[in-house]
């Protein structure tokens, strides 16, 4: 799990750690394309340079799915693209949240 190695300094509940047992934390990794990184900061830089669009689309789709309380359908694709585009222009969490709350799937979701 190359992405997981970049986050290895965080324990299971998100606390920072420098050692696992008596051994120092190894947070270096290699992505499938051969790109190497050491730590969360370098992983972030690599992902934002090489996979920014994929990252933004994934964050947008996961958050929309969570907000809707269901899996996404093909009809949600337009909303995901709009959310990712807005997030690319203004990469702040409130941009994503506002976009979701104002989206058609969220405003017109069917009650369970």
């Amino acid at each position: 799990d190359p992405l997981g190695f970049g986050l290895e300094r965080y324990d299971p509940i998100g606390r920072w750690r420098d050692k696992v047992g008596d051994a120092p934390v190894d947070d270096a990794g290699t992505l499938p394309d051969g790109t190497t990184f050491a730590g969360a900061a370098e992983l972030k830089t690599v992902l934002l340079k090489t996979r920014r669009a994929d990252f933004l689309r994934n964050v947008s789709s996961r958050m929309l799915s969570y907000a809707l309380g269901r899996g996404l359908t093909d009809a949600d694709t337009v909303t995901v693209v709009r959310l990712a585009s807005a997030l690319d222009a203004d990469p702040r969490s409130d941009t994503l949240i506002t976009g979701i709350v104002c989206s058609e799937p969220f405003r017109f979701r069917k009650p369970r």
Side-chain angles (χ1 to χ4, degrees):
D1 180 20
L3 296 176
F5 290 130
L7 303 173
E8 189 65 25
R9 287 205 180 265
Y10 299 99
D11 72 6
I13 61 170
R15 290 180 302 196
W16 185 263
R17 61 185 176 180
D18 292 315
K19 292 184 176 187
V20 176
D22 292 333
V25 173
D26 179 12
D27 59 357
T30 304
L31 297 176
D33 67 358
T35 306
T36 60
F37 61 89
E42 284 187 27
L43 176 60
K44 175 184 172 183
T45 300
V46 167
L47 290 177
L48 289 177
K49 283 184 179 178
T50 63
R51 305 289 297 266
R52 183 178 176 92
D54 294 334
F55 178 78
L56 295 174
R57 190 172 50 250
N58 190 17
V59 167
S60 298
S61 65
R62 301 290 179 166
M63 284 291 290
L64 180 61
S65 177
Y66 180 77
L68 297 175
R70 63 170 173 80
L72 300 183
T73 65
D74 290 340
D76 299 316
T77 303
V78 172
T79 302
V80 170
V81 169
R82 286 183 184 149
L83 291 170
S85 178
L87 200 53
D88 191 27
D90 185 16
R92 299 179 323 158
S93 58
D94 63 322
T95 300
L96 180 58
I97 294 167
T98 301
I100 290 171
V101 171
C102 293
S103 72
E104 189 171 324
F106 186 84
R107 291 183 304 132
F108 298 105
R109 63 183 181 203
K110 296 175 184 170
R112 290 183 173 186

